[in-house]
């Protein structure tokens, strides 16, 4: 059972590959790309839906990351994909106002309101990664991304990994892989506003080989992740 003064928030920034009607023309001929890891995080929505059942607040976006990248800062050079360019300043601001800000603000407002009420927040952002990138195989089943300087995040990641390895001895879990937990992202941005005790954010990264090919194994893995997350709490 989790501590009564703890709130769990679960988000999924890349849950779908939908293109809003006003950008349909820009994405003509992009069907193949949209169906890949570039268009969305394959399997992430299904996993997020399991997590949302145990969360105090959850939010996801099904607008493709190729429209606007919700998990990047506004100054990031890849905030918009090549399909969206060129954009005038006014057009870019409209995309941000319509698709980026509403999502991020809802999450930020919820966390701020809990912190004001003296709750401690654990945030899990659900993602998945392609098994191979630029010809290189990714050597992990699960990645737990956190900031090593934040003790609570480090401790929670260690506890979660330990619980997972007790229920699934075969699973390969790596810390801050295939990305660094301190790289530009929504959680990295949120950490700046809160102390280690107020907020702990982890990105959960799952290898897309599970949702893409191993249906039974994928179902089992999802259950194990939920079960062990609860135990780690």
């Amino acid at each position: 059972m989790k501590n009564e003064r703890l709130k769990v928030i679960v988000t999924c920034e890349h849950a779908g590959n939908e293109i809003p009607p006003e950008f349909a023309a820009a994405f003509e001929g992009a069907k193949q790309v949209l169906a890949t890891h570039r268009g969305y995080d394959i399997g992430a929505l299904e996993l997020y839906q399991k997590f949302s059942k145990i969360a105090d607040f959850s939010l996801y976006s099904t607008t493709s990351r190729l429209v606007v990248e919700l998990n990047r800062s506004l100054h990031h050079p890849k905030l918009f994909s090549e399909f969206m360019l060129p954009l005038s300043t006014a057009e870019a601001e409209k995309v941000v106002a319509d698709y980026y800000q509403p999502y991020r603000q809802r999450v930020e407002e919820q966390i701020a309101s809990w912190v004001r009420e003296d709750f401690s927040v654990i945030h899990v952002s659900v993602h998945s990664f392609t098994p191979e990138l630029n010809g290189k195989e990714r050597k992990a089943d699960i990645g737990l991304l956190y900031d090593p300087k934040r003790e609570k995040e480090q401790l929670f990641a260690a506890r979660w990994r330990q619980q997972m390895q007790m229920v699934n001895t075969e699973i390969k879990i790596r810390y801050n892989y295939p990305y660094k937990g301190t790289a530009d992202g929504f959680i990295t941005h949120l950490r700046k506003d809160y102390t280690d005790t107020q907020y702990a954010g982890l990105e959960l990264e799952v290898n897309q080989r599970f949702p893409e090919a191993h249906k039974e194994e994928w179902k089992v893995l999802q259950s194990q992740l939920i079960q062990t997350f609860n135990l780690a709490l």
Side-chain angles (χ1 to χ4, degrees):
M1 288 296 286
K2 75 176 168 87
N3 178 321
E4 283 173 17
R5 299 305 299 165
L6 184 67
K7 293 286 189 187
V8 173
I9 181 166
V10 177
T11 63
C12 188
E13 286 70 47
H14 307 139
N17 56 2
E18 291 169 11
I19 301 300
E22 66 264 37
F23 307 122
F27 284 87
E28 256 176 46
K31 268 202 170 73
Q32 274 183 310
V33 175
L34 283 167
T36 69
H37 69 96
R38 284 202 64 213
Y40 72 120
D41 278 0
I42 295 157
L45 179 59
E46 195 184 338
L47 180 56
Y48 158 86
Q49 284 165 339
K50 303 277 192 312
F51 269 101
S52 67
K53 290 174 184 154
I54 58 165
D56 297 295
F57 176 87
S58 56
L59 190 66
Y60 69 100
S61 168
T62 51
T63 301
S64 175
R65 67 200 301 173
L66 293 175
V67 173
V68 62
E69 174 50 279
L70 296 179
N71 202 33
R72 293 284 173 266
S73 297
L74 287 172
H75 58 73
H76 196 279
K78 296 216 171 123
L79 183 67
F80 303 108
S81 75
E82 70 273 22
F83 299 99
M84 294 290 287
L85 302 173
L87 281 171
S88 70
T89 304
E91 286 166 337
E93 282 171 358
K94 187 171 183 339
V95 177
V96 166
D98 290 350
Y99 297 99
Y100 180 96
Q101 298 290 20
Y103 179 90
R104 299 211 9 164
Q105 274 167 3
R106 278 187 68 189
V107 174
E108 289 183 40
E109 282 164 10
Q110 183 57 71
I111 294 169
S113 120
W114 280 336
V115 170
R116 276 196 303 274
E117 292 165 25
D118 282 333
F119 286 106
S120 185
V121 179
I122 288 240
H123 178 189
V124 177
S125 178
V126 180
H127 295 267
S128 66
F129 63 92
T130 180
E132 193 183 281
L133 189 68
N134 304 327
K136 276 188 81 173
E137 187 195 349
R138 257 86 172 262
K139 296 187 188 308
D141 298 315
I142 288 169
L144 294 176
L145 278 50
Y146 64 92
D147 181 347
K149 291 200 206 74
R150 290 174 81 95
E151 195 183 347
K152 202 165 145 192
E153 289 179 7
Q154 190 173 24
L155 181 65
F156 189 79
R159 274 167 65 169
W160 196 359
R161 179 182 177 178
Q162 185 182 34
Q163 293 292 346
M164 265 306 283
Q165 292 187 315
M166 279 158 68
V167 300
N168 186 338
T169 52
E170 304 294 304
I171 198 93
K172 182 157 194 197
I173 302 169
R174 292 178 66 174
Y175 296 134
N176 290 322
Y177 181 91
Y179 311 104
K180 280 197 169 75
T182 51
D184 181 61
F186 192 17
I187 282 179
T188 305
H189 163 76
L190 287 163
R191 284 186 192 119
K192 293 171 190 157
D193 296 330
Y194 303 106
T195 65
D196 185 44
T197 49
Q198 290 171 326
Y199 174 85
L202 275 90
E203 278 191 50
L204 170 63
E205 288 275 1
V206 179
N207 195 314
Q208 288 167 7
R209 73 179 180 84
F210 292 99
E212 284 189 315
H214 304 275
K215 295 291 181 232
E216 278 314 303
E217 212 181 331
W218 174 225
K219 273 187 194 153
V220 170
L221 181 62
Q222 290 180 76
S223 301
Q224 289 172 342
L225 282 165
I226 301 294
Q227 176 200 344
T228 55
F229 174 79
N230 273 324
L231 289 167
L233 282 180

